Amino acid sequence: MNVVIVTRPTTEPVSVAEVKTHLRIDGTDDDEMIATLVMAAREQVETITRRAIMTQTWDYFLDEFPRSNVIVIPFGNLASVTSVKRKDTAGAETTMTVTTDYLVQTNGSQHGMIVLPYGVPWPSGAFYPSNPITIRFICGWTSAALVPSKIRTAVKFLCAEMYENRGESVIGQTVVENKTVDALLASERLWGSF
């Protein structure tokens, strides 16, 4: 999968104050470090679940249009497709038109899709040799209150683990897995071709 982040999240699924309450910390000395841990924990949860947790913008590059009538969009929680662009062999870009050239299915927290309107084919012909098709999309929950509690709790558990073990958790030569986080996120993982 060839995706590049365009705009990173501006909010996190849990606040520094929530993590401090979880850790039973009263002072402000570690606030900056905890904010960094929250971001790292959210990114780890995104990796595990294959989701975009908070609102973010991505470019998804395709080498060709599919044979089917559907393009599945990664990360779930599709809010919108900003554009679908294609380049001809000379690199000239054409922006496709939503409702005429394609339709968008957001599909709630599952994978969103771009689908063809009835009787409309994908563009054909020769395309630019490198990343000829670019789909820009926005995905993720728009506020922390909308994020499932299992995901929010997993972020807190990961923050606690990173805060308490400011190095690698090791028993002998084996890294300890966080079974609680795995259990919390098991039903939140997106499955599919990504």
Side-chain angles (χ1 to χ4, degrees), residues 1-4 59-65 84-89 91-94 126-135:
M1 175 173 58
N2 190 7
V3 291
V4 174
D59 280 344
Y60 179 30
F61 301 101
L62 302 174
D63 291 329
E64 60 187 15
F65 285 103
V84 178
K85 298 180 180 184
R86 59 186 166 88
K87 293 181 199 170
D88 64 17
T89 54
E93 202 168 61
T94 301
F127 295 111
Y128 196 69
S130 176
N131 294 332
I133 302 159
T134 304
I135 300 168

PDB file of all heavy atoms in Angstrom, residues 1-4 59-65 84-89 91-94 126-135:
ATOM      1  N   MET A   1       0.861  -1.166   0.000  1.00  0.00           N
ATOM      2  CA  MET A   1       0.000   0.000   0.000  1.00  0.00           C
ATOM      3  C   MET A   1       0.906   1.227   0.000  1.00  0.00           C
ATOM      4  O   MET A   1       1.823   1.344   0.802  1.00  0.00           O
ATOM      5  CB  MET A   1      -0.894  -0.030   1.235  1.00  0.00           C
ATOM      6  CG  MET A   1      -1.740   1.195   1.386  1.00  0.00           C
ATOM      7  SD  MET A   1      -2.966   1.120   2.718  1.00  0.00           S
ATOM      8  CE  MET A   1      -2.006   0.816   4.165  1.00  0.00           C
ATOM      9  N   ASN A   2       0.638   2.129  -0.894  1.00  0.00           N
ATOM     10  CA  ASN A   2       1.437   3.332  -1.019  1.00  0.00           C
ATOM     11  C   ASN A   2       0.609   4.529  -0.562  1.00  0.00           C
ATOM     12  O   ASN A   2      -0.195   5.058  -1.317  1.00  0.00           O
ATOM     13  CB  ASN A   2       1.907   3.490  -2.464  1.00  0.00           C
ATOM     14  CG  ASN A   2       2.940   4.576  -2.616  1.00  0.00           C
ATOM     15  OD1 ASN A   2       3.417   5.143  -1.649  1.00  0.00           O
ATOM     16  ND2 ASN A   2       3.273   4.874  -3.854  1.00  0.00           N
ATOM     17  N   VAL A   3       0.778   4.913   0.693  1.00  0.00           N
ATOM     18  CA  VAL A   3       0.046   6.047   1.254  1.00  0.00           C
ATOM     19  C   VAL A   3       1.034   7.010   1.912  1.00  0.00           C
ATOM     20  O   VAL A   3       2.072   6.593   2.418  1.00  0.00           O
ATOM     21  CB  VAL A   3      -1.025   5.622   2.284  1.00  0.00           C
ATOM     22  CG1 VAL A   3      -2.162   4.879   1.620  1.00  0.00           C
ATOM     23  CG2 VAL A   3      -0.430   4.815   3.403  1.00  0.00           C
ATOM     24  N   VAL A   4       0.695   8.296   1.876  1.00  0.00           N
ATOM     25  CA  VAL A   4       1.519   9.328   2.490  1.00  0.00           C
ATOM     26  C   VAL A   4       0.597  10.248   3.274  1.00  0.00           C
ATOM     27  O   VAL A   4      -0.430  10.689   2.747  1.00  0.00           O
ATOM     28  CB  VAL A   4       2.281  10.134   1.418  1.00  0.00           C
ATOM     29  CG1 VAL A   4       3.028  11.308   2.042  1.00  0.00           C
ATOM     30  CG2 VAL A   4       3.236   9.245   0.638  1.00  0.00           C
ATOM     31  N   ASP A  59      -2.819  10.829   1.207  1.00  0.00           N
ATOM     32  CA  ASP A  59      -2.813  10.569  -0.232  1.00  0.00           C
ATOM     33  C   ASP A  59      -2.567   9.081  -0.419  1.00  0.00           C
ATOM     34  O   ASP A  59      -1.641   8.513   0.174  1.00  0.00           O
ATOM     35  CB  ASP A  59      -1.708  11.357  -0.946  1.00  0.00           C
ATOM     36  CG  ASP A  59      -2.083  12.800  -1.216  1.00  0.00           C
ATOM     37  OD1 ASP A  59      -3.285  13.134  -1.138  1.00  0.00           O
ATOM     38  OD2 ASP A  59      -1.172  13.597  -1.514  1.00  0.00           O
ATOM     39  N   TYR A  60      -3.421   8.460  -1.236  1.00  0.00           N
ATOM     40  CA  TYR A  60      -3.336   7.035  -1.543  1.00  0.00           C
ATOM     41  C   TYR A  60      -3.014   6.931  -3.030  1.00  0.00           C
ATOM     42  O   TYR A  60      -3.750   7.454  -3.858  1.00  0.00           O
ATOM     43  CB  TYR A  60      -4.672   6.381  -1.199  1.00  0.00           C
ATOM     44  CG  TYR A  60      -4.807   4.906  -1.472  1.00  0.00           C
ATOM     45  CD1 TYR A  60      -3.736   4.035  -1.426  1.00  0.00           C
ATOM     46  CD2 TYR A  60      -6.064   4.369  -1.760  1.00  0.00           C
ATOM     47  CE1 TYR A  60      -3.893   2.678  -1.649  1.00  0.00           C
ATOM     48  CE2 TYR A  60      -6.237   3.016  -1.981  1.00  0.00           C
ATOM     49  CZ  TYR A  60      -5.148   2.181  -1.929  1.00  0.00           C
ATOM     50  OH  TYR A  60      -5.311   0.834  -2.161  1.00  0.00           O
ATOM     51  N   PHE A  61      -1.895   6.282  -3.357  1.00  0.00           N
ATOM     52  CA  PHE A  61      -1.435   6.209  -4.735  1.00  0.00           C
ATOM     53  C   PHE A  61      -1.703   4.827  -5.326  1.00  0.00           C
ATOM     54  O   PHE A  61      -1.418   3.817  -4.690  1.00  0.00           O
ATOM     55  CB  PHE A  61       0.068   6.503  -4.816  1.00  0.00           C
ATOM     56  CG  PHE A  61       0.439   7.860  -4.284  1.00  0.00           C
ATOM     57  CD1 PHE A  61       0.976   8.007  -3.013  1.00  0.00           C
ATOM     58  CD2 PHE A  61       0.239   8.996  -5.053  1.00  0.00           C
ATOM     59  CE1 PHE A  61       1.318   9.248  -2.523  1.00  0.00           C
ATOM     60  CE2 PHE A  61       0.578  10.246  -4.570  1.00  0.00           C
ATOM     61  CZ  PHE A  61       1.117  10.375  -3.304  1.00  0.00           C
ATOM     62  N   LEU A  62      -2.222   4.814  -6.528  1.00  0.00           N
ATOM     63  CA  LEU A  62      -2.471   3.569  -7.257  1.00  0.00           C
ATOM     64  C   LEU A  62      -1.691   3.598  -8.572  1.00  0.00           C
ATOM     65  O   LEU A  62      -1.540   4.660  -9.188  1.00  0.00           O
ATOM     66  CB  LEU A  62      -3.963   3.403  -7.567  1.00  0.00           C
ATOM     67  CG  LEU A  62      -4.926   3.386  -6.383  1.00  0.00           C
ATOM     68  CD1 LEU A  62      -6.368   3.358  -6.878  1.00  0.00           C
ATOM     69  CD2 LEU A  62      -4.656   2.181  -5.503  1.00  0.00           C
ATOM     70  N   ASP A  63      -1.248   2.438  -9.019  1.00  0.00           N
ATOM     71  CA  ASP A  63      -0.552   2.340 -10.303  1.00  0.00           C
ATOM     72  C   ASP A  63      -1.523   2.208 -11.469  1.00  0.00           C
ATOM     73  O   ASP A  63      -1.168   2.497 -12.602  1.00  0.00           O
ATOM     74  CB  ASP A  63       0.400   1.142 -10.304  1.00  0.00           C
ATOM     75  CG  ASP A  63       1.574   1.357  -9.361  1.00  0.00           C
ATOM     76  OD1 ASP A  63       1.980   2.523  -9.185  1.00  0.00           O
ATOM     77  OD2 ASP A  63       2.077   0.377  -8.795  1.00  0.00           O
ATOM     78  N   GLU A  64      -2.741   1.737 -11.158  1.00  0.00           N
ATOM     79  CA  GLU A  64      -3.761   1.573 -12.203  1.00  0.00           C
ATOM     80  C   GLU A  64      -5.130   1.502 -11.549  1.00  0.00           C
ATOM     81  O   GLU A  64      -5.243   1.309 -10.344  1.00  0.00           O
ATOM     82  CB  GLU A  64      -3.503   0.295 -13.007  1.00  0.00           C
ATOM     83  CG  GLU A  64      -3.530  -0.955 -12.149  1.00  0.00           C
ATOM     84  CD  GLU A  64      -3.126  -2.210 -12.885  1.00  0.00           C
ATOM     85  OE1 GLU A  64      -2.542  -2.131 -13.985  1.00  0.00           O
ATOM     86  OE2 GLU A  64      -3.407  -3.305 -12.360  1.00  0.00           O
ATOM     87  N   PHE A  65      -6.147   1.692 -12.349  1.00  0.00           N
ATOM     88  CA  PHE A  65      -7.507   1.534 -11.835  1.00  0.00           C
ATOM     89  C   PHE A  65      -7.807   0.037 -11.733  1.00  0.00           C
ATOM     90  O   PHE A  65      -7.298  -0.760 -12.518  1.00  0.00           O
ATOM     91  CB  PHE A  65      -8.524   2.226 -12.753  1.00  0.00           C
ATOM     92  CG  PHE A  65      -8.507   3.724 -12.614  1.00  0.00           C
ATOM     93  CD1 PHE A  65      -7.888   4.512 -13.563  1.00  0.00           C
ATOM     94  CD2 PHE A  65      -9.098   4.340 -11.521  1.00  0.00           C
ATOM     95  CE1 PHE A  65      -7.858   5.890 -13.440  1.00  0.00           C
ATOM     96  CE2 PHE A  65      -9.078   5.723 -11.381  1.00  0.00           C
ATOM     97  CZ  PHE A  65      -8.454   6.501 -12.345  1.00  0.00           C
ATOM     98  N   VAL A  84      -9.848  12.765  -6.586  1.00  0.00           N
ATOM     99  CA  VAL A  84      -9.281  11.624  -7.294  1.00  0.00           C
ATOM    100  C   VAL A  84      -8.657  12.216  -8.554  1.00  0.00           C
ATOM    101  O   VAL A  84      -9.355  12.805  -9.382  1.00  0.00           O
ATOM    102  CB  VAL A  84     -10.330  10.561  -7.660  1.00  0.00           C
ATOM    103  CG1 VAL A  84      -9.684   9.423  -8.439  1.00  0.00           C
ATOM    104  CG2 VAL A  84     -11.036  10.041  -6.414  1.00  0.00           C
ATOM    105  N   LYS A  85      -7.327  12.081  -8.675  1.00  0.00           N
ATOM    106  CA  LYS A  85      -6.613  12.680  -9.806  1.00  0.00           C
ATOM    107  C   LYS A  85      -5.840  11.604 -10.541  1.00  0.00           C
ATOM    108  O   LYS A  85      -5.353  10.656  -9.939  1.00  0.00           O
ATOM    109  CB  LYS A  85      -5.649  13.765  -9.318  1.00  0.00           C
ATOM    110  CG  LYS A  85      -6.353  14.928  -8.635  1.00  0.00           C
ATOM    111  CD  LYS A  85      -5.373  15.978  -8.175  1.00  0.00           C
ATOM    112  CE  LYS A  85      -6.119  17.131  -7.503  1.00  0.00           C
ATOM    113  NZ  LYS A  85      -5.220  18.211  -7.124  1.00  0.00           N
ATOM    114  N   ARG A  86      -5.725  11.795 -11.846  1.00  0.00           N
ATOM    115  CA  ARG A  86      -4.928  10.876 -12.657  1.00  0.00           C
ATOM    116  C   ARG A  86      -4.024  11.680 -13.569  1.00  0.00           C
ATOM    117  O   ARG A  86      -4.347  12.800 -13.954  1.00  0.00           O
ATOM    118  CB  ARG A  86      -5.813   9.942 -13.467  1.00  0.00           C
ATOM    119  CG  ARG A  86      -6.755  10.645 -14.410  1.00  0.00           C
ATOM    120  CD  ARG A  86      -7.719   9.662 -15.071  1.00  0.00           C
ATOM    121  NE  ARG A  86      -8.813  10.346 -15.707  1.00  0.00           N
ATOM    122  CZ  ARG A  86      -8.806  10.805 -16.950  1.00  0.00           C
ATOM    123  NH1 ARG A  86      -7.735  10.634 -17.701  1.00  0.00           N
ATOM    124  NH2 ARG A  86      -9.847  11.430 -17.457  1.00  0.00           N
ATOM    125  N   LYS A  87      -2.866  11.100 -13.880  1.00  0.00           N
ATOM    126  CA  LYS A  87      -1.892  11.762 -14.746  1.00  0.00           C
ATOM    127  C   LYS A  87      -1.762  10.977 -16.042  1.00  0.00           C
ATOM    128  O   LYS A  87      -1.649   9.744 -16.025  1.00  0.00           O
ATOM    129  CB  LYS A  87      -0.518  11.817 -14.079  1.00  0.00           C
ATOM    130  CG  LYS A  87      -0.433  12.685 -12.869  1.00  0.00           C
ATOM    131  CD  LYS A  87       0.995  12.663 -12.347  1.00  0.00           C
ATOM    132  CE  LYS A  87       1.081  13.124 -10.925  1.00  0.00           C
ATOM    133  NZ  LYS A  87       2.407  12.880 -10.349  1.00  0.00           N
ATOM    134  N   ASP A  88      -1.721  11.710 -17.164  1.00  0.00           N
ATOM    135  CA  ASP A  88      -1.468  11.053 -18.438  1.00  0.00           C
ATOM    136  C   ASP A  88       0.034  10.800 -18.577  1.00  0.00           C
ATOM    137  O   ASP A  88       0.824  11.125 -17.684  1.00  0.00           O
ATOM    138  CB  ASP A  88      -2.035  11.865 -19.607  1.00  0.00           C
ATOM    139  CG  ASP A  88      -1.363  13.220 -19.780  1.00  0.00           C
ATOM    140  OD1 ASP A  88      -0.254  13.430 -19.235  1.00  0.00           O
ATOM    141  OD2 ASP A  88      -1.954  14.073 -20.466  1.00  0.00           O
ATOM    142  N   THR A  89       0.462  10.256 -19.710  1.00  0.00           N
ATOM    143  CA  THR A  89       1.865   9.879 -19.890  1.00  0.00           C
ATOM    144  C   THR A  89       2.813  11.068 -19.803  1.00  0.00           C
ATOM    145  O   THR A  89       3.977  10.914 -19.454  1.00  0.00           O
ATOM    146  CB  THR A  89       2.064   9.164 -21.234  1.00  0.00           C
ATOM    147  OG1 THR A  89       1.547  10.003 -22.271  1.00  0.00           O
ATOM    148  CG2 THR A  89       1.368   7.817 -21.252  1.00  0.00           C
ATOM    149  N   GLY A  91       2.361  13.546 -17.707  1.00  0.00           N
ATOM    150  CA  GLY A  91       2.294  14.060 -16.343  1.00  0.00           C
ATOM    151  C   GLY A  91       1.212  15.103 -16.140  1.00  0.00           C
ATOM    152  O   GLY A  91       1.091  15.666 -15.055  1.00  0.00           O
ATOM    153  N   ALA A  92       0.405  15.380 -17.177  1.00  0.00           N
ATOM    154  CA  ALA A  92      -0.706  16.327 -17.033  1.00  0.00           C
ATOM    155  C   ALA A  92      -1.782  15.684 -16.163  1.00  0.00           C
ATOM    156  O   ALA A  92      -2.195  14.546 -16.395  1.00  0.00           O
ATOM    157  CB  ALA A  92      -1.274  16.700 -18.398  1.00  0.00           C
ATOM    158  N   GLU A  93      -2.245  16.424 -15.161  1.00  0.00           N
ATOM    159  CA  GLU A  93      -3.176  15.895 -14.165  1.00  0.00           C
ATOM    160  C   GLU A  93      -4.617  16.258 -14.504  1.00  0.00           C
ATOM    161  O   GLU A  93      -4.904  17.391 -14.876  1.00  0.00           O
ATOM    162  CB  GLU A  93      -2.791  16.464 -12.801  1.00  0.00           C
ATOM    163  CG  GLU A  93      -3.260  15.667 -11.635  1.00  0.00           C
ATOM    164  CD  GLU A  93      -2.593  16.132 -10.357  1.00  0.00           C
ATOM    165  OE1 GLU A  93      -2.775  17.305  -9.994  1.00  0.00           O
ATOM    166  OE2 GLU A  93      -1.896  15.318  -9.743  1.00  0.00           O
ATOM    167  N   THR A  94      -5.505  15.293 -14.356  1.00  0.00           N
ATOM    168  CA  THR A  94      -6.944  15.497 -14.536  1.00  0.00           C
ATOM    169  C   THR A  94      -7.632  15.119 -13.235  1.00  0.00           C
ATOM    170  O   THR A  94      -7.389  14.038 -12.693  1.00  0.00           O
ATOM    171  CB  THR A  94      -7.503  14.614 -15.676  1.00  0.00           C
ATOM    172  OG1 THR A  94      -6.813  14.942 -16.878  1.00  0.00           O
ATOM    173  CG2 THR A  94      -8.987  14.814 -15.851  1.00  0.00           C
ATOM    174  N   ALA A 126      -2.993   4.910 -21.463  1.00  0.00           N
ATOM    175  CA  ALA A 126      -1.681   4.923 -20.826  1.00  0.00           C
ATOM    176  C   ALA A 126      -1.639   6.030 -19.773  1.00  0.00           C
ATOM    177  O   ALA A 126      -2.182   7.114 -19.972  1.00  0.00           O
ATOM    178  CB  ALA A 126      -0.596   5.139 -21.872  1.00  0.00           C
ATOM    179  N   PHE A 127      -0.990   5.722 -18.671  1.00  0.00           N
ATOM    180  CA  PHE A 127      -0.860   6.677 -17.575  1.00  0.00           C
ATOM    181  C   PHE A 127       0.614   6.953 -17.291  1.00  0.00           C
ATOM    182  O   PHE A 127       1.497   6.243 -17.755  1.00  0.00           O
ATOM    183  CB  PHE A 127      -1.541   6.153 -16.309  1.00  0.00           C
ATOM    184  CG  PHE A 127      -3.029   6.011 -16.433  1.00  0.00           C
ATOM    185  CD1 PHE A 127      -3.625   4.752 -16.454  1.00  0.00           C
ATOM    186  CD2 PHE A 127      -3.841   7.128 -16.524  1.00  0.00           C
ATOM    187  CE1 PHE A 127      -5.002   4.629 -16.563  1.00  0.00           C
ATOM    188  CE2 PHE A 127      -5.215   7.009 -16.638  1.00  0.00           C
ATOM    189  CZ  PHE A 127      -5.795   5.759 -16.661  1.00  0.00           C
ATOM    190  N   TYR A 128       0.844   7.949 -16.472  1.00  0.00           N
ATOM    191  CA  TYR A 128       2.185   8.323 -16.051  1.00  0.00           C
ATOM    192  C   TYR A 128       2.831   7.109 -15.370  1.00  0.00           C
ATOM    193  O   TYR A 128       2.158   6.356 -14.673  1.00  0.00           O
ATOM    194  CB  TYR A 128       2.076   9.510 -15.079  1.00  0.00           C
ATOM    195  CG  TYR A 128       3.359  10.247 -14.860  1.00  0.00           C
ATOM    196  CD1 TYR A 128       3.931  11.009 -15.875  1.00  0.00           C
ATOM    197  CD2 TYR A 128       4.006  10.199 -13.625  1.00  0.00           C
ATOM    198  CE1 TYR A 128       5.105  11.702 -15.670  1.00  0.00           C
ATOM    199  CE2 TYR A 128       5.186  10.893 -13.406  1.00  0.00           C
ATOM    200  CZ  TYR A 128       5.734  11.636 -14.437  1.00  0.00           C
ATOM    201  OH  TYR A 128       6.901  12.323 -14.233  1.00  0.00           O
ATOM    202  N   PRO A 129       4.156   6.908 -15.527  1.00  0.00           N
ATOM    203  CA  PRO A 129       4.768   5.684 -14.980  1.00  0.00           C
ATOM    204  C   PRO A 129       4.912   5.629 -13.458  1.00  0.00           C
ATOM    205  O   PRO A 129       5.109   4.553 -12.902  1.00  0.00           O
ATOM    206  CB  PRO A 129       6.145   5.664 -15.653  1.00  0.00           C
ATOM    207  CG  PRO A 129       6.414   7.059 -16.061  1.00  0.00           C
ATOM    208  CD  PRO A 129       5.077   7.697 -16.320  1.00  0.00           C
ATOM    209  N   SER A 130       4.814   6.773 -12.769  1.00  0.00           N
ATOM    210  CA  SER A 130       5.008   6.765 -11.320  1.00  0.00           C
ATOM    211  C   SER A 130       3.820   7.427 -10.629  1.00  0.00           C
ATOM    212  O   SER A 130       3.531   8.592 -10.860  1.00  0.00           O
ATOM    213  CB  SER A 130       6.294   7.525 -10.967  1.00  0.00           C
ATOM    214  OG  SER A 130       6.461   7.608  -9.575  1.00  0.00           O
ATOM    215  N   ASN A 131       3.154   6.646  -9.763  1.00  0.00           N
ATOM    216  CA  ASN A 131       1.989   7.137  -9.014  1.00  0.00           C
ATOM    217  C   ASN A 131       1.009   7.919  -9.900  1.00  0.00           C
ATOM    218  O   ASN A 131       0.712   9.088  -9.646  1.00  0.00           O
ATOM    219  CB  ASN A 131       2.428   8.017  -7.837  1.00  0.00           C
ATOM    220  CG  ASN A 131       3.189   7.252  -6.787  1.00  0.00           C
ATOM    221  OD1 ASN A 131       2.992   6.057  -6.607  1.00  0.00           O
ATOM    222  ND2 ASN A 131       4.066   7.930  -6.079  1.00  0.00           N
ATOM    223  N   PRO A 132       0.474   7.276 -10.917  1.00  0.00           N
ATOM    224  CA  PRO A 132      -0.405   8.003 -11.842  1.00  0.00           C
ATOM    225  C   PRO A 132      -1.772   8.361 -11.272  1.00  0.00           C
ATOM    226  O   PRO A 132      -2.418   9.278 -11.766  1.00  0.00           O
ATOM    227  CB  PRO A 132      -0.548   7.040 -13.013  1.00  0.00           C
ATOM    228  CG  PRO A 132      -0.358   5.690 -12.405  1.00  0.00           C
ATOM    229  CD  PRO A 132       0.655   5.892 -11.309  1.00  0.00           C
ATOM    230  N   ILE A 133      -2.212   7.669 -10.227  1.00  0.00           N
ATOM    231  CA  ILE A 133      -3.539   7.916  -9.654  1.00  0.00           C
ATOM    232  C   ILE A 133      -3.348   8.290  -8.184  1.00  0.00           C
ATOM    233  O   ILE A 133      -2.711   7.558  -7.420  1.00  0.00           O
ATOM    234  CB  ILE A 133      -4.440   6.678  -9.789  1.00  0.00           C
ATOM    235  CG1 ILE A 133      -4.582   6.294 -11.260  1.00  0.00           C
ATOM    236  CG2 ILE A 133      -5.807   6.926  -9.142  1.00  0.00           C
ATOM    237  CD1 ILE A 133      -5.008   4.876 -11.498  1.00  0.00           C
ATOM    238  N   THR A 134      -3.896   9.430  -7.795  1.00  0.00           N
ATOM    239  CA  THR A 134      -3.789   9.909  -6.413  1.00  0.00           C
ATOM    240  C   THR A 134      -5.179  10.157  -5.861  1.00  0.00           C
ATOM    241  O   THR A 134      -5.955  10.924  -6.430  1.00  0.00           O
ATOM    242  CB  THR A 134      -2.980  11.217  -6.326  1.00  0.00           C
ATOM    243  OG1 THR A 134      -1.702  11.014  -6.925  1.00  0.00           O
ATOM    244  CG2 THR A 134      -2.812  11.655  -4.876  1.00  0.00           C
ATOM    245  N   ILE A 135      -5.480   9.508  -4.750  1.00  0.00           N
ATOM    246  CA  ILE A 135      -6.752   9.718  -4.053  1.00  0.00           C
ATOM    247  C   ILE A 135      -6.424  10.396  -2.733  1.00  0.00           C
ATOM    248  O   ILE A 135      -5.706   9.844  -1.894  1.00  0.00           O
ATOM    249  CB  ILE A 135      -7.467   8.375  -3.793  1.00  0.00           C
ATOM    250  CG1 ILE A 135      -7.749   7.663  -5.114  1.00  0.00           C
ATOM    251  CG2 ILE A 135      -8.751   8.594  -2.986  1.00  0.00           C
ATOM    252  CD1 ILE A 135      -8.176   6.224  -4.971  1.00  0.00           C
TER     253      ILE A 135
END
